Amino acid sequence: MTNALLQNGLFGTLFGDAEISGEFCAEAMLARMLRFEEAWTRALVANGAVDAADGAQALEALCAFDAARFHTASERDGLPVPSLVAHLRQGLAPGAAQAIHSGVTSQDVIDTAMVLTCLSLVAILESRLDRLVVALQDLNARHGTSLLVARTRMQAALPATVSLRVSAWLRLVKAQRDRSSALREDLAKVQIGGAIGLRDAPEGLAIAVSEQVACALGLRLAPVWHADRAPFVTFGHWLTLVAGAVGKIGQDVALMAQQGLDEISLEGGGGSSAMPHKQNPIAAETIVALARHVACLQGTLAQAMIHEQERSGAAWALEWLTLPVMAEATGAALRHALELIGSVERIGTPG
Amino acid sequence: MTNALLQNGLFGTLFGDAEISGEFCAEAMLARMLRFEEAWTRALVANGAVDAADGAQALEALCAFDAARFHTASERDGLPVPSLVAHLRQGLAPGAAQAIHSGVTSQDVIDTAMVLTCLSLVAILESRLDRLVVALQDLNARHGTSLLVARTRMQAALPATVSLRVSAWLRLVKAQRDRSSALREDLAKVQIGGAIGLRDAPEGLAIAVSEQVACALGLRLAPVWHADRAPFVTFGHWLTLVAGAVGKIGQDVALMAQQGLDEISLEGGGGSSAMPHKQNPIAAETIVALARHVACLQGTLAQAMIHEQERSGAAWALEWLTLPVMAEATGAALRHALELIGSVERIGTPG
Amino acid sequence: MTNALLQNGLFGTLFGDAEISGEFCAEAMLARMLRFEEAWTRALVANGAVDAADGAQALEALCAFDAARFHTASERDGLPVPSLVAHLRQGLAPGAAQAIHSGVTSQDVIDTAMVLTCLSLVAILESRLDRLVVALQDLNARHGTSLLVARTRMQAALPATVSLRVSAWLRLVKAQRDRSSALREDLAKVQIGGAIGLRDAPEGLAIAVSEQVACALGLRLAPVWHADRAPFVTFGHWLTLVAGAVGKIGQDVALMAQQGLDEISLEGGGGSSAMPHKQNPIAAETIVALARHVACLQGTLAQAMIHEQERSGAAWALEWLTLPVMAEATGAALRHALELIGSVERIGTPG
Amino acid sequence: MTNALLQNGLFGTLFGDAEISGEFCAEAMLARMLRFEEAWTRALVANGAVDAADGAQALEALCAFDAARFHTASERDGLPVPSLVAHLRQGLAPGAAQAIHSGVTSQDVIDTAMVLTCLSLVAILESRLDRLVVALQDLNARHGTSLLVARTRMQAALPATVSLRVSAWLRLVKAQRDRSSALREDLAKVQIGGAIGLRDAPEGLAIAVSEQVACALGLRLAPVWHADRAPFVTFGHWLTLVAGAVGKIGQDVALMAQQGLDEISLEGGGGSSAMPHKQNPIAAETIVALARHVACLQGTLAQAMIHEQERSGAAWALEWLTLPVMAEATGAALRHALELIGSVERIGTPG
């Protein structure tokens, strides 16, 4: 699944975000999956669930993993974990092979790797939101006292200053930034349920082993949440808020840039093949489109909650089809917003 | 805007919820709008912003409001507040008229009334979630040890007990219930911004007056959030989680009720006009449809974030078009879930 | 299922459309369901599948139907047909009772009634589109030569005339109007499949009887389409095109009405509770919100295609949850567009 | 914009479709854009709008285009056409430079290239639908008389044969296949409007030149449709019908494959990392997820109708963000359906 039009190079980086998409690359995802498997094996050893020598061999195999020699069988299995586990166990004696992945299941590996990915994405977006807050504070400091007519329902309302508008942007961006700590708390749970969500392996040691794994990964151990997809849906919700906040800014800038209103001047601006005199507010429009796309995708993602029985292939896949796109679109929207605010030459009318 | 098919009586109460829709009736909404106006007038008086006698007359007019004599002009104004304010001020001397609504705007009234509505809805849904938790605990107590094959990716996975499935339902429902206190905190903010979001009236007294209004309404005073629609979008998100959680239960029950699986027996069950022998799991299917509808509507609601300038008529209306429907559908889904769990005669196979 | 906020009277008729919602009222829906049942009974008689005397009694019962005495059991059955059939057969001798509904199923009745409803809705919307075409032609005739700056990507592009803009509106509206005849063709199919979609009753006479029913209802007989929901999804698609077309006009008008652009003057216009001097383009904004709502609902409706097995309660309900709302919102948007175009006092600058 | 998770290789080709995505690659898109430009230049020459020698030079430059040396400036311009035109004109004398692109605009190039792309996609999907029809006919021929219980509302309804189910699939697939000729007709229009949609260049020759271009590209010349996005939205609608049709088949197969029902046996089937005995119906579940994703994206795409003024950057981008994904997901769903039907070893119970 790609967006083959927007990633073919002809649209440059307009709709994408390399830092965000990098978090989903094979190397990054495999590294997180292997971190889980390694933590699991170490915890099995530490709790005496497997023989130390077997564990040592298993860990060696995990360390020696060479992505170039790994072939996924996701077309057959629906996800890469079964073939990854088979690859890791290849050539190992039975005891060592059993020191890898025994007691957990594909979903434990994938969900936990996705949790770690989401946390990385939150960190990236937080950092951009922080920079956007600074950029908006700076804009306010430089132009806050300039005159700007307040507009409600797209009509001139009352005379005001730039600070009215930019302060609203600031509050909006800060408010979504402030939501990230609760989101992190919601997300930072290891997934360990085993084959059907009982979290009962290894026998008698399941909790001790699970707690050690959580600790090693910087996550906490909560009740099994195999079939509760709310943490990922809530991550998507936060993305809609962040994308929507910069979407509002983009929409405002596109309106301010209209000739007749002339409330903002931007450095740069896109050219037209037929009208070279034009300076199109490309970034502003792109942000609006991205924000709408992210919002609508949440309508798809939220259906992942209807996750039947002990594990749903169909509902689970909805998360994979939407979350990476939502994250990248949100990242791209934030990137554009930073550039847009940085490119303001004039906003309002000097008073 | 109705759903004229599903409310014409032919479908009975299948897709609706009278308790939820009652929270949006004219009487309830007007009462909340008048609570805001009354609190505002009282605070103006208490802070010396209006003359006490004028304030007393104004409060009298507010108390004497007779819904039957009020005619909205929303077709002209886009919302009922301008005509409501004109109606309230009718016949008052200028001073008393100015003691009503001066310094606030339609959005302050509507948004605050919607906040109060959402808080009432949260309370209703919390209470149903609590009852659902009890019903599931009871189901688990009665049938938890019965045998049930665990199923992943719609395939038999391993032998297990009913408790595996029902405990997952319980955790899922509890988890969404536990989210409501953070949601309440997010929602419980008075909206006071005035014409363009400056919160600058009455001059020099704006904060004192606003704080008193917030206190009177049991809300807190946060920075102006005119253009930050995240609280309402987050309320919608919670509805998708609640509806999704019971949607998962509905989907599971519909699957369990299949002949061949025969994992559940329900009291009642719908008839067929062509096949009188059938017992259709109507409630289970209806829950799934409602949950999907709520999820998808969140994709619309989230676009309300793209709220241009100081007030957007178009973006704001998206909230009104979606939130009442999402709330009622979630309420109906929960109601069906309670009945469904209450109607279980057998689940799994006695061990 | 309602939208209890927008139908409580406080918002007047802003978001609704009485002519459209009237097509879904109990009386209209029951009349269509009874038309189907009557046509079926007549065809059974005409083809000798039931005794003439039994048929006459059955037809008498159908004619004597009194909605006031009918109680639906949709909460139990999922739809009103089983209780309707039981009600109709009440008190009839077995032979006469069997002359009603025998060989068909609830879905045949509901789907065919919905087809007839959709065709009525198409007629209403066609008539409004025709009036909108005339209104736009008239607007073009009166103001087409006035000056208007063409705008692309929200930027002034080149000097032009009002005719450029209004002709684009005209082409857009006409183009969607022109799609309705193919849509009618797609929709105008009777649904007759019987219990499981075999269309095998009455034995040996199924085709003859079905053809007569189709003919009596002004529909055609196509292969059984129980599980092919494309006709209804395609009706929804047409609604998105119609709503989207007027949504574009609404968005354009809202932009043209901005102070600074001042490209249009409208009679009327909404008031503000805080700023009595304002003239808000309420209708224009409302159209945009309605168009977006209709578009997003298509994302839900299209999922009705995933209609499992011989009949899906959950997928089917998605149609009922969305189509009536989409139709009413589209109707309301068209109504507003007609008023909006009729209220234009000036557009562009007299040349 | 990517889906970096699903295209990183770890999920193999499960969610993608190389043939579909290939239609959007840079080479294919550039080739279509150059076909348009070449046809335009040839028509300018043939109609005497440019000097023959200038035209010859221009055509030479068009032929000599080397993608490897072309650098897009879409980040600045919002799309690749302005930089492409500048690149093509580089080093040409003014007369020859003017023989390229003069009188048309970026949207003419992009929209026409997208029309050609959509037509190619229709051809690919038609061919797969045809193969699916054959596969289903074959399945029906081999297993149609086997016994299968008909199921409505997820409940056993009546005894029936496999033919009941497979014939419904066949009708469903054929019905969507039959829609493609009307779709082709709808789509096959060249976009020529020039800077603001007037189609007035070259002066006095616009229609003649435009007709020749249309003819050269195998398209027809219809009134300018710059601001009428219905053809692309209707293409998306068809994708939802096709994806939905195979989504229904996928859902049915996933249900039939349940132990307890055991109505189908499939060759292959996915493995589980924790339960090696399982045979998961991966393809069936994946189809369902893809179909839901395509359906929901239509809710986004349909908003592209709200395309403000003479050209909207924000609304236009919604088409690019959704259509390529919808096409690839539909292609992947069809591919899986073909494999799924081909892998049926048993369906129903031999009678």
Side-chain angles (χ1 to χ4, degrees):
Chain A
M1 177 55 60
T2 65
N3 182 319
L5 175 68
L6 297 185
Q7 69 185 68
N8 67 12
L10 294 178
F11 285 83
T13 60
L14 191 62
F15 294 97
D17 192 294
E19 192 180 7
I20 300 288
S21 63
E23 292 293 329
F24 291 103
C25 75
E27 198 181 350
M29 293 307 298
L30 280 169
R32 293 190 193 106
M33 290 156 71
L34 291 167
R35 272 183 68 196
F36 177 90
E37 296 287 8
E38 187 192 323
W40 183 256
T41 296
R42 283 191 194 284
L44 290 179
V45 173
N47 286 276
V50 301
D51 180 82
D54 288 340
Q57 271 194 288
L59 288 169
E60 218 171 290
L62 284 160
C63 284
F65 175 77
D66 176 6
R69 289 174 39 240
F70 167 59
H71 298 292
T72 185
S74 290
E75 287 92 347
R76 185 194 64 205
D77 300 331
L79 74 189
V81 180
S83 46
L84 178 64
V85 171
H87 180 89
L88 291 168
R89 287 174 172 170
Q90 212 168 11
L92 294 185
Q98 285 309 303
I100 295 177
H101 194 76
S102 297
V104 287
T105 193
S106 296
Q107 187 175 359
D108 296 329
V109 183
I110 291 281
D111 275 359
T112 303
M114 280 295 281
V115 160
L116 295 170
T117 307
C118 290
L119 291 170
S120 291
L121 294 169
V122 172
I124 294 170
L125 297 174
E126 282 173 336
S127 148
R128 294 189 192 179
L129 286 166
D130 287 340
R131 277 186 284 146
L132 187 55
V133 164
V134 170
L136 290 169
Q137 285 168 333
D138 179 57
L139 187 69
N140 220 358
R142 281 185 293 128
H143 299 280
T145 57
S146 289
L147 304 179
L148 184 76
V149 173
R151 290 179 184 264
T152 57
R153 291 182 169 272
M154 302 200 69
Q155 291 286 293
L158 294 172
T161 63
V162 162
S163 179
L164 171 75
R165 179 75 51 87
V166 175
S167 298
W169 293 350
L170 250 174
R171 287 195 304 268
L172 180 62
V173 171
K174 271 185 188 164
Q176 313 325 315
R177 171 66 181 87
D178 287 348
R179 291 172 185 274
S180 71
S181 53
L183 176 70
R184 283 176 170 284
E185 177 72 13
D186 202 17
L187 276 171
K189 297 182 293 194
V190 73
Q191 180 71 280
I192 299 176
I196 55 172
L198 282 176
R199 194 184 283 169
D200 58 355
E203 214 189 319
L205 299 168
I207 301 308
V209 167
S210 298
E211 270 175 354
Q212 184 170 337
V213 170
C215 182
L217 298 172
L219 303 173
R220 74 178 190 285
L221 189 67
V224 175
W225 51 283
H226 258 67
D228 179 359
R229 314 311 294 171
F232 292 124
V233 177
T234 300
F235 176 56
H237 168 60
W238 185 65
L239 295 176
T240 70
L241 298 184
V242 172
V246 292
K248 184 250 187 301
I249 298 175
Q251 184 67 73
D252 281 354
V253 170
L255 289 167
M256 295 170 91
Q258 294 171 100
Q259 285 86 356
L261 272 62
D262 301 300
E263 295 169 345
I264 201 165
S265 298
L266 304 168
E267 220 179 322
S272 155
S273 73
M275 296 165 287
H277 61 280
K278 287 188 64 190
Q279 290 279 313
N280 295 319
I282 300 299
E285 286 186 302
T286 304
I287 293 171
V288 174
L290 290 167
R292 252 184 235 294
H293 191 41
V294 173
C296 289
L297 284 167
Q298 182 68 11
T300 317
L301 174 58
Q303 294 182 71
M305 289 294 292
I306 310 171
H307 188 106
E308 83 272 359
Q309 299 169 337
E310 276 63 65
R311 186 170 308 126
S312 165
W316 200 11
L318 287 181
E319 302 174 19
W320 306 335
L321 285 162
T322 54
L323 267 180
V325 178
M326 294 172 76
E328 187 169 358
T330 303
L334 260 174
R335 189 167 49 72
H336 284 304
L338 280 163
E339 283 164 24
L340 196 62
I341 298 303
S343 76
V344 175
E345 290 178 335
R346 179 186 57 77
I347 177 168
T349 311
Chain B
M1 176 57 59
T2 65
N3 183 319
L5 176 67
L6 298 185
Q7 69 185 67
N8 67 12
L10 294 178
F11 285 84
T13 60
L14 191 61
F15 295 98
D17 192 292
E19 191 180 7
I20 300 287
S21 62
E23 293 292 328
F24 290 103
C25 74
E27 197 181 350
M29 294 307 297
L30 280 169
R32 292 188 195 106
M33 289 156 71
L34 291 169
R35 272 183 69 197
F36 177 90
E37 297 287 8
E38 186 190 323
W40 183 255
T41 297
R42 284 191 194 284
L44 290 180
V45 173
N47 287 275
V50 301
D51 180 82
D54 288 340
Q57 271 194 289
L59 288 169
E60 217 171 290
L62 285 160
C63 283
F65 175 77
D66 175 5
R69 289 176 36 241
F70 168 58
H71 297 292
T72 185
S74 290
E75 288 92 345
R76 184 194 66 204
D77 300 332
L79 74 190
V81 181
S83 45
L84 178 64
V85 171
H87 180 89
L88 291 168
R89 287 174 173 172
Q90 214 168 8
L92 294 186
Q98 285 310 302
I100 295 176
H101 194 75
S102 296
V104 288
T105 194
S106 296
Q107 188 176 359
D108 296 328
V109 183
I110 292 281
D111 275 0
T112 303
M114 281 294 283
V115 161
L116 295 170
T117 307
C118 291
L119 291 170
S120 290
L121 295 169
V122 171
I124 294 170
L125 299 174
E126 282 172 338
S127 148
R128 295 190 192 178
L129 287 166
D130 287 339
R131 277 186 285 148
L132 187 54
V133 164
V134 171
L136 290 169
Q137 285 167 334
D138 179 58
L139 186 70
N140 220 359
R142 281 184 294 130
H143 298 279
T145 57
S146 289
L147 304 179
L148 182 77
V149 174
R151 291 180 184 262
T152 58
R153 290 181 168 275
M154 302 200 68
Q155 291 287 293
L158 293 172
T161 62
V162 163
S163 178
L164 170 75
R165 180 75 51 87
V166 176
S167 299
W169 294 350
L170 250 176
R171 287 195 304 269
L172 180 61
V173 172
K174 272 186 188 164
Q176 313 325 316
R177 171 66 179 87
D178 287 348
R179 290 173 186 274
S180 70
S181 53
L183 176 69
R184 283 176 170 283
E185 175 73 13
D186 203 16
L187 275 171
K189 294 181 296 193
V190 72
Q191 180 70 279
I192 299 177
I196 57 173
L198 282 175
R199 193 184 285 169
D200 57 356
E203 216 190 316
L205 300 168
I207 301 309
V209 168
S210 300
E211 271 174 355
Q212 185 171 336
V213 170
C215 183
L217 298 172
L219 303 172
R220 74 178 189 284
L221 188 67
V224 176
W225 51 283
H226 258 66
D228 179 359
R229 314 310 296 171
F232 292 123
V233 177
T234 299
F235 175 57
H237 168 59
W238 184 64
L239 295 176
T240 70
L241 298 184
V242 172
V246 290
K248 183 249 187 307
I249 297 175
Q251 184 68 74
D252 281 355
V253 170
L255 289 167
M256 295 169 90
Q258 293 170 102
Q259 284 84 357
L261 271 61
D262 301 301
E263 295 168 346
I264 202 165
S265 298
L266 303 168
E267 217 179 325
S272 155
S273 72
M275 295 166 287
H277 61 281
K278 286 187 68 190
Q279 290 281 311
N280 295 320
I282 299 299
E285 286 187 303
T286 303
I287 294 171
V288 174
L290 289 167
R292 250 183 236 295
H293 190 42
V294 173
C296 289
L297 283 168
Q298 182 67 10
T300 316
L301 174 58
Q303 294 183 71
M305 289 295 290
I306 310 172
H307 187 106
E308 81 272 357
Q309 300 171 334
E310 275 62 65
R311 187 170 308 126
S312 165
W316 201 11
L318 288 180
E319 302 173 19
W320 306 335
L321 285 163
T322 54
L323 268 179
V325 178
M326 295 171 75
E328 187 170 357
T330 303
L334 261 173
R335 189 166 51 73
H336 285 303
L338 279 163
E339 284 163 24
L340 197 62
I341 297 303
S343 75
V344 174
E345 292 179 334
R346 178 188 56 79
I347 177 168
T349 310
Chain C
M1 175 58 59
T2 64
N3 183 320
L5 175 68
L6 298 185
Q7 69 185 69
N8 66 12
L10 294 179
F11 285 83
T13 61
L14 191 62
F15 295 97
D17 192 292
E19 192 180 6
I20 300 287
S21 63
E23 293 292 329
F24 291 103
C25 74
E27 198 182 349
M29 294 307 298
L30 280 169
R32 294 191 193 103
M33 289 156 70
L34 291 168
R35 273 183 68 197
F36 178 90
E37 296 288 8
E38 186 192 324
W40 183 255
T41 296
R42 284 191 193 284
L44 290 180
V45 173
N47 286 276
V50 302
D51 179 83
D54 287 341
Q57 272 194 289
L59 288 169
E60 217 171 291
L62 285 161
C63 283
F65 175 77
D66 176 5
R69 288 177 36 242
F70 167 59
H71 297 292
T72 186
S74 290
E75 288 93 345
R76 184 195 65 204
D77 301 331
L79 76 189
V81 181
S83 44
L84 177 65
V85 172
H87 180 89
L88 290 169
R89 288 175 171 170
Q90 212 167 8
L92 293 185
Q98 285 309 304
I100 295 176
H101 194 75
S102 296
V104 287
T105 194
S106 296
Q107 187 174 0
D108 296 327
V109 183
I110 291 281
D111 275 359
T112 302
M114 279 295 281
V115 161
L116 295 170
T117 307
C118 291
L119 290 171
S120 290
L121 295 170
V122 171
I124 293 171
L125 297 174
E126 282 173 336
S127 148
R128 295 190 192 180
L129 287 166
D130 287 340
R131 278 186 284 148
L132 187 55
V133 164
V134 171
L136 290 169
Q137 284 167 335
D138 180 57
L139 186 70
N140 220 359
R142 282 185 292 129
H143 299 280
T145 57
S146 290
L147 304 179
L148 183 76
V149 174
R151 290 178 185 265
T152 56
R153 290 182 170 274
M154 301 200 70
Q155 290 286 293
L158 293 172
T161 62
V162 163
S163 178
L164 171 75
R165 179 75 52 87
V166 175
S167 299
W169 293 350
L170 251 174
R171 288 195 303 269
L172 180 62
V173 172
K174 272 185 188 165
Q176 312 327 315
R177 171 66 180 86
D178 288 347
R179 291 172 185 275
S180 70
S181 53
L183 176 70
R184 282 175 171 284
E185 177 72 15
D186 203 17
L187 276 171
K189 296 181 294 194
V190 72
Q191 180 71 279
I192 299 176
I196 57 172
L198 281 175
R199 193 184 285 169
D200 57 356
E203 214 190 319
L205 299 168
I207 301 307
V209 167
S210 299
E211 270 174 356
Q212 184 170 336
V213 170
C215 182
L217 299 172
L219 303 172
R220 73 179 190 283
L221 188 68
V224 176
W225 51 282
H226 257 67
D228 179 358
R229 314 311 296 171
F232 292 123
V233 177
T234 299
F235 175 57
H237 169 59
W238 185 65
L239 295 176
T240 71
L241 298 184
V242 171
V246 292
K248 183 249 188 305
I249 297 175
Q251 183 69 73
D252 281 355
V253 170
L255 288 167
M256 296 170 91
Q258 294 171 101
Q259 285 85 357
L261 271 61
D262 302 301
E263 294 169 347
I264 201 164
S265 297
L266 304 168
E267 218 180 324
S272 155
S273 72
M275 297 165 285
H277 63 281
K278 286 188 67 191
Q279 290 281 311
N280 295 320
I282 300 298
E285 286 187 302
T286 304
I287 294 171
V288 174
L290 290 167
R292 249 183 237 295
H293 191 41
V294 173
C296 289
L297 283 168
Q298 182 66 12
T300 316
L301 174 58
Q303 293 182 71
M305 290 294 292
I306 310 172
H307 187 108
E308 83 272 358
Q309 300 171 336
E310 276 62 66
R311 186 169 309 126
S312 165
W316 201 11
L318 287 181
E319 302 174 19
W320 307 334
L321 285 163
T322 55
L323 268 179
V325 178
M326 294 172 75
E328 186 170 359
T330 302
L334 260 173
R335 189 166 51 72
H336 284 305
L338 279 162
E339 284 164 24
L340 195 62
I341 297 303
S343 76
V344 174
E345 292 178 333
R346 179 188 54 80
I347 177 168
T349 311
Chain D
M1 177 56 60
T2 64
N3 183 320
L5 175 68
L6 298 184
Q7 69 185 68
N8 67 13
L10 292 178
F11 285 83
T13 61
L14 190 62
F15 294 97
D17 192 292
E19 192 181 7
I20 300 287
S21 63
E23 293 292 329
F24 290 103
C25 75
E27 198 181 348
M29 293 307 298
L30 279 169
R32 293 189 194 105
M33 290 156 70
L34 291 168
R35 273 183 68 196
F36 177 89
E37 296 287 7
E38 187 191 322
W40 182 256
T41 296
R42 283 192 193 283
L44 290 180
V45 173
N47 286 276
V50 301
D51 180 82
D54 287 342
Q57 271 194 287
L59 288 168
E60 218 170 288
L62 284 160
C63 283
F65 175 78
D66 176 6
R69 288 174 39 240
F70 167 60
H71 298 292
T72 186
S74 290
E75 287 92 345
R76 185 194 64 205
D77 301 332
L79 74 190
V81 181
S83 47
L84 178 65
V85 171
H87 181 89
L88 291 168
R89 287 174 172 171
Q90 213 169 10
L92 294 186
Q98 285 309 304
I100 295 175
H101 195 73
S102 296
V104 289
T105 194
S106 297
Q107 187 175 358
D108 296 328
V109 184
I110 292 281
D111 275 359
T112 303
M114 279 295 282
V115 160
L116 295 170
T117 306
C118 290
L119 291 170
S120 290
L121 295 170
V122 171
I124 294 170
L125 298 174
E126 282 172 336
S127 148
R128 294 189 192 178
L129 287 166
D130 287 339
R131 278 187 284 146
L132 187 55
V133 164
V134 171
L136 289 169
Q137 285 168 334
D138 180 58
L139 187 69
N140 220 0
R142 280 184 293 130
H143 300 279
T145 57
S146 289
L147 304 179
L148 183 76
V149 173
R151 289 179 185 263
T152 57
R153 291 183 170 271
M154 302 200 70
Q155 291 287 293
L158 293 172
T161 63
V162 163
S163 178
L164 170 75
R165 179 75 52 87
V166 175
S167 298
W169 293 350
L170 250 174
R171 288 194 304 269
L172 180 63
V173 171
K174 272 185 186 164
Q176 314 324 315
R177 171 65 179 87
D178 288 347
R179 291 173 184 274
S180 71
S181 53
L183 176 70
R184 282 176 170 284
E185 177 72 12
D186 202 18
L187 275 171
K189 296 181 294 193
V190 71
Q191 181 70 280
I192 299 178
I196 57 172
L198 282 175
R199 195 184 284 169
D200 59 355
E203 214 190 319
L205 299 168
I207 302 308
V209 167
S210 299
E211 270 174 356
Q212 185 170 336
V213 170
C215 183
L217 298 172
L219 303 172
R220 74 179 190 284
L221 188 67
V224 176
W225 51 283
H226 258 66
D228 180 359
R229 314 312 295 170
F232 292 123
V233 177
T234 300
F235 175 57
H237 169 59
W238 185 65
L239 295 176
T240 70
L241 298 183
V242 172
V246 291
K248 184 250 186 306
I249 298 175
Q251 183 68 72
D252 281 355
V253 170
L255 289 168
M256 296 169 90
Q258 294 171 101
Q259 285 85 355
L261 272 62
D262 301 301
E263 295 169 345
I264 202 165
S265 296
L266 304 168
E267 217 179 325
S272 155
S273 72
M275 297 165 286
H277 62 280
K278 286 187 67 191
Q279 290 279 313
N280 295 320
I282 300 298
E285 286 187 303
T286 304
I287 294 171
V288 174
L290 290 167
R292 249 182 237 295
H293 191 40
V294 172
C296 289
L297 283 168
Q298 182 68 10
T300 316
L301 174 58
Q303 294 182 71
M305 289 295 291
I306 311 172
H307 187 107
E308 81 272 359
Q309 300 171 336
E310 276 61 64
R311 187 170 307 125
S312 165
W316 201 10
L318 288 180
E319 301 174 19
W320 307 335
L321 285 163
T322 55
L323 269 179
V325 177
M326 294 171 76
E328 187 169 358
T330 303
L334 261 173
R335 188 166 51 72
H336 284 303
L338 279 163
E339 283 164 25
L340 197 62
I341 298 302
S343 76
V344 174
E345 291 179 333
R346 178 186 57 79
I347 177 169
T349 311

